[in-house]
Amino acid sequence: MQIQEIINELEQFAPSALKEDFDNVGLLVGDASHQATGVLITLDITEQVIDEAIKIGCNLIVSHHPIMLSGLKKINGRNATERMVIKAIQNNIALYASHTNADSVINGVSGKMCEKLGLENCKILSPKKENLLKLVTFVPTEHAEKVREAIFKAGAGQIGNYDACSYNTSGEGTFRAGHGANPFVGEVGKIHQEEEVRIETILPAYLKGRIIGALLNAHPYEEVAYDLYPLANEWTTTGIGMVGELPHEVDEATFLNRLKNTFQTGCVRYTNLLNKPIKRVALCGGSGSFLLGKAIGAKADVFVTGDIKYHQFADAEDRILIADIGHFESEQYTKEVFFEILTKKFSNFAIHLSNVNTNPVNYL
């Protein structure tokens, strides 16, 4: 099995196109055409993790955090990143990262946090916007079903938990084939009228090329008429952070202790207790302070994340309880996300969770 086959499965779950602009994801080091000998899954790549991969015979390391966010101008081993790149190349180890794209899918980083806390009725806290397109095309009536099936298979027509979504209107199309044309119906030089179906559907912008290619391959006409319209709609199944509800409300102290135990953190930093029960929980793995306003707007009782700065705690203004459980602690179960995806698809392949503790923060 090639490394590319493993990457394809990860991309199916969290496409690199969903990453934030600042991010650096995908295959960062290595050749995807090489045969895979094993996969090692980690939150961060360190020199110890690469040594672990060498020891157990894995030539692909899948991480959440990318080994490098900016470009390397020199690779001479003068810092940890350069040494890791050199060691990976010398040992034919490929390095793949799924970072903010894994944050942006509903069953990704924050979704796993929801699962660990037992939250119900979960949804994206801050859905992506302006990432959807509407496709409109016109198809001879007897070919409409074939075209719909083709574009749905390519990824069009997904709205929340529903797929194969489209709106169809019957009408009459007209055209006249010119010199050199090879019309599917009608004659060159004569105006032709054809019963057609106007098909409207929705698609993620990053799948535009694939879906239009499927449309052109399935459509019987020599020249295919279609329109693409940008949409301002929220993409409710894609975005950052999650919000959900506990099965039963609990008091603040009970919830904070549950966080400490569930995420095995040495410290939970939190704002003043509001003496209100906790039922609705907003959360974001990693550095989620920018979502505080969204959490308040979602009427959450508590916002759980990492990397809250001193003055940001004051921004709660007694409107919500903030609980900072640490960056590593909030994202640690991301390894399980990747492990579950890959072992489900490749059940008889060597897939390992790293035993290296990559958390750079210690607690006294």
Side-chain angles (χ1 to χ4, degrees):
M1 177 172 59
Q2 290 186 336
I3 289 173
Q4 186 62 58
E5 295 177 58
I6 299 169
I7 291 175
N8 289 346
E9 198 65 23
L10 293 167
E11 289 284 333
Q12 181 72 23
F13 169 72
S16 291
L18 299 182
K19 74 177 182 67
E20 297 298 312
D21 291 339
F22 70 85
D23 206 4
N24 187 29
V25 303
L27 184 63
L28 305 183
V29 174
D31 188 337
S33 68
H34 286 179
Q35 291 295 305
T37 60
V39 181
L40 181 63
I41 299 172
T42 181
L43 190 69
D44 309 278
I45 296 177
T46 66
E47 292 184 76
Q48 292 76 20
V49 170
I50 294 178
D51 289 337
E52 184 182 22
I54 295 170
K55 182 178 180 180
I56 63 177
C58 293
N59 67 344
L60 172 62
I61 298 177
V62 174
S63 70
H64 179 48
H65 294 132
I67 191 174
M68 48 197 170
L69 277 174
S70 55
L72 295 176
K73 294 184 178 180
K74 298 179 181 179
I75 306 179
N76 51 33
R78 292 188 178 181
N79 59 45
T81 300
E82 293 174 9
R83 289 193 298 272
M84 287 186 284
V85 170
I86 291 171
K87 181 175 282 191
I89 292 172
Q90 287 176 334
N91 290 276
N92 292 317
I93 295 175
L95 307 179
Y96 177 91
S98 183
H99 190 209
T100 53
N101 48 321
D103 289 313
S104 296
V105 293
I106 200 163
N107 294 319
V109 179
S110 296
K112 178 58 73 170
M113 292 176 69
C114 290
E115 178 186 317
K116 293 295 182 179
L117 288 172
L119 301 187
E120 301 172 340
N121 304 317
C122 298
K123 63 180 182 179
I124 297 289
L125 179 61
S126 180
K128 285 184 176 292
K129 297 180 180 179
E130 299 180 357
N131 280 261
L132 296 171
L133 300 172
K134 173 174 278 192
L135 168 65
V136 177
T137 189
F138 307 87
V139 189
T141 302
E142 64 271 22
H143 289 81
E145 184 60 30
K146 177 183 177 182
V147 170
R148 280 193 295 266
E149 288 181 359
I151 60 178
F152 292 157
K153 184 177 181 180
Q158 185 83 36
I159 302 177
N161 293 324
Y162 295 82
D163 63 7
C165 300
S166 69
Y167 186 77
N168 302 270
T169 310
S170 297
E172 186 176 82
T174 66
F175 54 84
R176 177 165 51 201
H179 179 70
N182 182 27
F184 176 72
V185 290
E187 299 180 31
V188 172
K190 294 183 179 181
I191 292 179
H192 178 78
Q193 296 176 327
E194 183 70 21
E195 293 296 321
E196 294 180 337
V197 176
R198 174 189 170 106
I199 300 173
E200 301 181 38
T201 190
I202 197 169
L203 63 132
Y206 78 90
L207 290 179
K208 178 180 69 174
R210 186 167 82 185
I211 291 168
I212 295 303
L215 167 65
L216 298 179
N217 286 333
H219 203 291
Y221 284 175
E222 184 178 28
E223 299 290 346
V224 179
Y226 67 89
D227 301 311
L228 288 168
Y229 301 98
L231 300 177
N233 302 47
E234 289 186 340
W235 191 359
T236 56
T237 57
T238 306
I240 303 295
M242 297 285 291
V243 60
E245 297 175 344
L246 293 168
H248 306 285
E249 64 182 35
V250 298
D251 62 73
E252 293 164 311
T254 298
F255 182 77
L256 291 173
N257 277 289
R258 183 179 298 178
L259 284 178
K260 184 176 177 65
N261 293 329
T262 300
F263 293 96
Q264 305 167 39
T265 179
C267 175
V268 177
R269 300 190 303 150
Y270 59 94
T271 50
N272 292 332
L273 299 181
L274 304 177
N275 298 314
K276 297 178 180 178
I278 301 295
K279 174 71 172 178
R280 191 164 174 80
V281 180
L283 49 77
C284 178
S287 301
S289 60
F290 65 98
L291 291 174
L292 177 59
K294 292 284 188 180
I296 294 171
K299 301 186 184 305
D301 301 308
V302 62
F303 178 46
V304 181
T305 189
D307 295 343
I308 298 289
K309 296 180 180 179
Y310 177 83
H311 291 289
Q312 292 171 330
F313 279 100
D315 292 338
E317 297 180 345
D318 291 334
R319 294 173 293 175
I320 193 171
L321 176 65
I322 295 176
D324 183 333
I325 61 174
H327 192 120
F328 172 90
E329 288 78 6
S330 68
E331 294 184 327
Q332 62 185 296
Y333 298 119
T334 304
K335 294 196 300 182
E336 294 183 12
V337 174
F338 300 145
F339 184 80
E340 290 163 6
I341 292 166
L342 294 181
T343 53
K344 182 178 180 180
K345 177 67 176 181
F346 309 108
S347 57
N348 296 318
F349 190 70
I351 300 170
H352 306 271
L353 290 172
S354 174
N355 291 314
V356 177
N357 181 2
T358 62
N359 188 0
V361 179
N362 293 285
Y363 301 97
L364 182 62

